Structure formats: structure tokens, C-alpha cells
Amino acid sequence: MTHIAIIGAGLIGRGWAFVFARAGTEVRVWDPQPAVLDRLPDDIAGMVEQTAPFGQAGTDPEATAARIRAVTTPEEALDGAALAQESGPEVLDTKRALFARLDAIAAPETILASSSSALMASRFAGELPGRARCLVGHPVNPPHLVPVVEIAPAPFTDPAVTERARAIYAAAGQVPVVLQREIDGFILNRLQAVVLAESLRLIEQGYVDVRGLDDTIRHGLGRRWAFMGPMETINLNAPGGAGDYLTRYGAMMAGLAQGAAREEAFTPAVAAIVGAAFADVSAPETVRARQNWRDAELAALAQHLAARAQHDNAQE
Amino acid sequence: MTHIAIIGAGLIGRGWAFVFARAGTEVRVWDPQPAVLDRLPDDIAGMVEQTAPFGQAGTDPEATAARIRAVTTPEEALDGAALAQESGPEVLDTKRALFARLDAIAAPETILASSSSALMASRFAGELPGRARCLVGHPVNPPHLVPVVEIAPAPFTDPAVTERARAIYAAAGQVPVVLQREIDGFILNRLQAVVLAESLRLIEQGYVDVRGLDDTIRHGLGRRWAFMGPMETINLNAPGGAGDYLTRYGAMMAGLAQGAAREEAFTPAVAAIVGAAFADVSAPETVRARQNWRDAELAALAQHLAARAQHDNAQE
């Protein structure tokens, strides 16, 4: 494969660079801020150090780092790239301007993918001459430790581009999920939004405290969702599978969903309650230290799940 | 501790028996169906065989099994029990009748806890002379592999009973979450219900297929939710913590929640789509085989998470 261009070297952009480099692909990284590019080698070294003990830095961690190269212009990044992964700020006008610039520079065969977490490609690429090679490839933070990538093509995206993007992400070891229709928030953040709304409501109305809410997911639903989704979960919760489950429990679940919170759950009052519950982890340094803990846990979990998948395959 | 009484020896009741026996407590199991009790030793032996390789059958797996004893009357099960865990059918009239019977038999100091997954104690214990020692202790299936237990006291439950139940579950190694107010569906199933409603809608309206939906959770959100809840997740997704997150992204998330599906998402049409996606795992034997896979994955994950917790504690 030709190289991958990374546009924007923040947390997400660096994670993407690591994903492709770890899989053996050359990566060129550009960021409009020179200071960010200056820090890149140290940042990548830190990622290698954190992930290598869990087998998440590729077969040769030093080679992974060596494949990532900072460049000083977007032209240099894009020249001959199979795919450019844009990971700039989640601001519509900024993304519009950046995509116009990338589209003017890039060769027609270069795929332009945005890491946007909620904005559809229709909103920022619809006016471009090269809009047929534009789409969203939404990762989770950090991409090198959480493998899903939501591929959201716009109605104007060439289906062959969508398929090439899918194949590129899959070859790099990610798990691509291709949306069949565009929707704001895609799938992941829509599901996260309903969980947040109902969680915030239950906390604000005094049914449960912040820690109890987190424990219910962490020591309950999250145990299953780490290795199977909600649809397979219900398929195993009735003797006759998902259809049987929905016959038995659908009305009860529908009743609970009917009374669920929406937009109105996001109040300043509940933000204060949740903020107070994490008062000891709310300054940038302490948040960063805890993010490091999270990333180590994600790396350990990735190693565990990979070992289990290998075990299951060996048994088949 | 005195012994624990298990009332109802289906999947949930057996899981509870295993939880307490593994922690070193004697357990007496009664079920109205003699055939269920006859099978109990074999069922427990199967649970030992599955969980011992992952360190989830206690320090001495044979002793765990030996602590579980079937008894032929509820009187024998309850006599001197610290807590009776009722795990009968999720049918209101059945639960009402069973609780009336248990309340008439049990000594006043025995706690009567129901495994009900959605029915509040107010609905089935409110008329009983001993209602002050009644509450819900809702586990997840199977309780010995998913540690959360939602403790939902009714307004009439003695707070000292709630605290004793909490201590008993915690001493057995479960993670108790005490609800501060009663609500149908408690916390876990309310959160599951909103995820199901939005998932089913996104599938039926053709945004994503069943497998893509599951992948989004399994390889995305579920990676975090296996070791931290949604509130800590957002606390780490902005430099200034949860308050900062809700300021930056609250409006976007609120907008996504506003458009979320409710009751109307549970249609026969989508049940058919989801059922078809699992057509190869929908007969009782194949579902049971896949449940065994799930339980092995849960046991392996429990072992992994316990090792990580030990590692984190050692570092502090």
C-alpha cells in the first residue's frame, strides 16, 4: 500500500498515525501548528512505551515509530497518499475550509476521510469538486486502542471509495462499520447520547449516585458489551433467541424506553453533581494522569480480547 | 455468617448459590419443582468445571460445590438464614404469592430479597406483615460471572435491612449498587432499554445492519464500559473533566438524545430482522451452546479484570 497522510496531529491524529504504522504502512503527518509537529517524535515514543508491553505496538515497536514522519506542508503529506485522515477540530467552518484545501491539493485517487465524531460529510464536503472521494471515518479516542471505525459515506460518495476505505481500515487491523445511510452522530454517539441522557436524569432525580451509575455499567452491562453487542446479548437472553426475547420482554423494555429522558436531562444542575463526583480528577494534569490509566487498561483489554479470539478460533 | 437460602433453582438461583458458596458461606437451595433440585448437583458440577480454570470457583472449587445443599421444603431452607434470595418467575402474581409464603415462614431477622429484574418491591411485598425486611437484590445473568447487584429498597424497607443486605452481597464479592429511590427497571434495565430502543430503530430504518450495530458497541463503547462507567468516560473526554465535557459537548449529545427512539422502536418488523441475523443461533440447543461460550468469555474477563485491579492496587 502507498502511504497514509494524517492531517492534524492531536490525540486522534497521533492515534491514527500509530494504527497505520503499527500495521506496516508509512505515515506522513502534517499539522498547521509547528509546535505540535515538533513534539510528535516524543509523543509517539510515549505511545510505544505504553502499548508495547501489551503487544499493541506492532511486531517491531521501533519500526512502528520509524514509519511515522512529520512533514511541514499538506502537499508533502498528500502527495501519493492512498488515504488522508483529517483529525482537525470538530467545528463545521474549520472542517469545511480544511476539506476545501485538501480537495484542491490531493490527487483524485486519494481518499479524504474525516475523523468527525458527529458531523456528516454532506455538511462539509458537499460543495467540493472532489466530493465523491470524501467520507467520514469516525474513530474512538484513542484509535490505536479502540478498534471500531464508523465509515459514513454521504449520498455523493462513490461506493468504490467507501469500499476502498473499508479495506484500508480493515487491513490496518481496525473494525470498520459501514453506515448504509447518513445520520448525525452516526451510531456510536447516538447510543452514547441516550445512555448519557438517561444516566444524567437518574442521577439528578436522586435514584442513584454517580458512582452507583458507573458501577451498574462497569460491573454489569459493560461485562458483556466488551465482547458482544446488545443484539447478541438479547439473542442469548431467551431460549429461542432474539425473536423470543422481544416477544417475552419487548413490551417491558419498550415501557422503560418510553419513560426515558431526552435533551432535558442535560442540565447545569446535573453537570455540577457529576463534576463534584470527580472533583479529584478535574484539573488537566489529573485528568491526563487518569487518561494514561485508561489507556493502559484499554491496551491490556485489547491484549486479553485478542488472546481470547485466538483461543476461540483455535477451538473451531 | 449464618447460611443463605436460595428460593428457586433456575439459572439465576444457581448462580446465586455459587456466589455465596464460593465466598465460603453455606447455602440451602429450595425449588418447588423436585426435578430441578435433582439436577442441582450436576448443574453445580458443570459450573465448577467451567469457572475453575479462570479462578472463578473459589479457592477450593470442590468445597464450593460441597457448600450447596438442596432441601425439600422452604421451611428447611429459611430456618436460621441470614438472607433468602428469591429467584422465581418474573410474574407479579407469582412473586406476590411466593413472598407471602416466605414472609409467613421466615424468622423476622431473615432478609427477603427478590432477584426481580424490573418489578419494584412495593408491587409485591407492600401488604406483608414483614414488609420492612423485604427488598429487591437484582443480579445480572449469570450472577457468579457478572458481579453487580442492584439493591432497591421500597419506601417501607427498614434502612438497617438495606445496609445488612449490602454488606452481605459485598462480603460475597459482588458489587452492590443501592438505589436511593424506587423506580421500575431500576438502573441497569432502564439503560439497556434506551440502548435497545435506539439500536432497533437504527437497524429498522436502515442506517446500519445488525452486525454493524453490535460491532459499534463491542469494538467501541464496550471497551471502556468494561472497566469504567459512562460518567467516568465523559470525565476523561475533556481536559477539564465532566463539567468541561458537558459544556463542550452537552448540547450536541442533548440534540442526539432528543431525536432518539422510544417505545415505537420495538416493532414486529425489526424483531424479524434481528431474528434473521441470528438464524443460526435461535434454537434452544444452539442458544445454549453460545451461552456457554458467553459464560466462558465472562469468566475469562472476570479473571482479567481482577488481575488488573490487583495490579493497579499494587501500584498505588
Side-chain angles (χ1 to χ4, degrees):
Chain A
M1 191 198 293
T2 49
H3 79 273
I4 298 292
I6 301 295
I7 305 298
L11 269 173
I12 294 288
R14 293 199 298 274
W16 273 123
F18 203 79
V19 163
F20 291 111
R22 170 174 74 185
T25 305
E26 299 296 320
V27 178
R28 293 188 204 157
V29 182
W30 175 73
D31 192 284
Q33 295 183 270
V36 170
L37 288 180
D38 289 346
R39 273 202 316 268
L40 185 67
D42 283 351
D43 286 334
I44 298 293
M47 293 164 76
V48 167
E49 192 183 356
Q50 185 179 50
T51 59
F54 302 104
Q56 303 302 308
T59 48
D60 179 347
E62 278 183 39
T64 294
R67 283 189 204 101
I68 300 171
R69 187 159 66 84
V71 297
T72 53
T73 66
E75 285 79 1
E76 205 181 341
L78 287 170
D79 181 36
L83 180 145
Q85 185 74 38
E86 176 274 330
S87 306
E90 188 78 351
V91 177
L92 186 54
D93 287 343
T94 311
K95 240 174 235 310
R96 267 200 190 120
L98 195 48
F99 259 71
R101 186 169 175 190
L102 298 178
D103 189 46
I105 296 171
E109 62 274 18
T110 300
I111 297 173
L112 301 183
S114 172
S115 295
S116 171
S117 63
L119 297 169
M120 306 186 293
S122 299
R123 298 226 185 169
F124 55 81
E127 311 298 314
L128 301 179
R131 63 181 196 168
R133 41 81 171 263
C134 296
L135 45 64
V136 168
H138 170 231
V140 183
N141 180 25
H144 63 296
L145 295 173
V146 185
V148 80
V149 48
E150 295 185 275
I151 301 181
F156 51 69
T157 306
D158 178 351
V161 165
T162 304
E163 172 49 29
R164 267 162 55 215
R166 195 202 58 72
I168 288 171
Y169 291 127
Q174 302 300 93
V175 178
V177 170
V178 180
L179 269 67
Q180 297 153 347
R181 287 171 66 191
E182 258 190 330
I183 187 170
D184 269 328
F186 316 126
I187 307 301
L188 186 139
N189 273 325
R190 294 197 75 86
L191 295 177
Q192 184 164 228
V194 295
V195 168
L196 288 181
E198 184 67 355
S199 296
L200 294 174
R201 186 273 290 263
L202 291 167
I203 290 166
E204 184 169 14
Q205 295 187 357
Y207 291 105
V208 68
D209 62 17
V210 171
R211 186 181 170 155
L213 190 291
D214 267 4
D215 279 348
T216 306
I217 293 285
R218 177 186 173 188
H219 299 287
L221 289 167
R223 292 270 175 143
R224 291 163 172 174
W225 289 345
F227 62 86
M228 63 184 195
M231 296 296 106
E232 177 153 20
T233 296
I234 67 171
N235 195 60
L236 298 183
N237 270 350
D244 187 20
Y245 176 94
L246 288 168
T247 304
R248 287 174 192 238
Y249 309 114
M252 180 191 95
M253 285 295 179
L256 297 178
Q258 185 61 15
R262 294 193 169 194
E263 189 175 23
E264 69 282 358
F266 291 79
T267 65
V270 78
I273 295 171
V274 178
F278 294 105
D280 57 332
V281 186
S282 61
E285 322 80 73
T286 52
V287 168
R288 212 172 301 119
R290 188 75 177 164
Q291 285 170 341
N292 281 335
W293 165 82
R294 175 197 68 195
D295 291 352
E297 295 306 315
L298 285 171
L301 185 56
Q303 184 180 40
H304 167 78
L305 293 171
R308 291 299 304 168
Q310 207 163 26
H311 169 87
D312 289 349
N313 285 337
Q315 289 209 314
E316 267 168 15
Chain B
M1 193 198 290
T2 50
H3 79 272
I4 298 292
I6 302 295
I7 306 298
L11 271 173
I12 295 286
R14 293 199 298 275
W16 273 123
F18 204 78
V19 163
F20 290 110
R22 170 173 74 185
T25 306
E26 299 297 319
V27 178
R28 292 187 205 159
V29 182
W30 175 73
D31 191 284
Q33 294 183 271
V36 170
L37 288 181
D38 289 346
R39 274 202 316 267
L40 185 67
D42 283 351
D43 286 335
I44 298 293
M47 293 164 76
V48 167
E49 192 184 354
Q50 185 179 48
T51 59
F54 302 104
Q56 303 301 308
T59 48
D60 180 347
E62 278 182 41
T64 294
R67 281 189 205 101
I68 300 170
R69 188 158 67 85
V71 297
T72 53
T73 66
E75 285 79 2
E76 206 181 339
L78 288 169
D79 182 36
L83 179 146
Q85 185 75 37
E86 177 274 331
S87 306
E90 189 79 352
V91 178
L92 185 55
D93 287 343
T94 311
K95 241 176 234 310
R96 266 199 191 121
L98 195 49
F99 259 72
R101 187 170 174 189
L102 299 178
D103 189 46
I105 295 172
E109 61 274 18
T110 300
I111 298 172
L112 301 183
S114 172
S115 295
S116 171
S117 63
L119 297 167
M120 306 186 294
S122 300
R123 300 227 185 169
F124 55 81
E127 310 297 314
L128 301 179
R131 64 182 195 168
R133 42 79 172 263
C134 296
L135 44 65
V136 168
H138 170 230
V140 183
N141 181 24
H144 63 296
L145 296 173
V146 185
V148 79
V149 47
E150 296 186 275
I151 301 180
F156 51 71
T157 306
D158 179 350
V161 165
T162 304
E163 172 49 29
R164 267 163 54 214
R166 195 202 58 71
I168 288 171
Y169 292 126
Q174 301 301 92
V175 178
V177 171
V178 179
L179 270 68
Q180 295 153 348
R181 286 171 66 190
E182 258 190 329
I183 186 169
D184 268 329
F186 316 127
I187 306 302
L188 185 139
N189 274 324
R190 293 197 76 86
L191 296 177
Q192 185 165 226
V194 295
V195 168
L196 288 181
E198 184 67 356
S199 297
L200 294 173
R201 186 275 289 264
L202 291 167
I203 289 166
E204 185 169 12
Q205 296 187 354
Y207 292 104
V208 69
D209 62 16
V210 172
R211 187 182 170 154
L213 189 291
D214 267 4
D215 279 349
T216 307
I217 293 284
R218 176 186 173 188
H219 299 287
L221 289 168
R223 292 269 175 143
R224 290 164 173 174
W225 289 345
F227 61 86
M228 62 185 198
M231 295 297 105
E232 177 152 20
T233 295
I234 66 171
N235 195 60
L236 299 183
N237 271 350
D244 186 21
Y245 176 94
L246 289 168
T247 303
R248 287 174 192 240
Y249 308 114
M252 180 191 95
M253 286 295 180
L256 297 179
Q258 185 61 15
R262 294 194 170 195
E263 189 176 22
E264 69 283 358
F266 292 79
T267 65
V270 79
I273 296 171
V274 178
F278 294 104
D280 57 333
V281 185
S282 61
E285 323 77 74
T286 51
V287 168
R288 212 171 302 120
R290 188 75 176 163
Q291 285 169 341
N292 280 335
W293 166 82
R294 176 197 68 196
D295 291 352
E297 294 306 316
L298 285 171
L301 185 56
Q303 183 180 40
H304 167 79
L305 294 171
R308 291 299 304 169
Q310 206 162 25
H311 169 87
D312 289 349
N313 285 337
Q315 289 208 316
E316 266 168 15

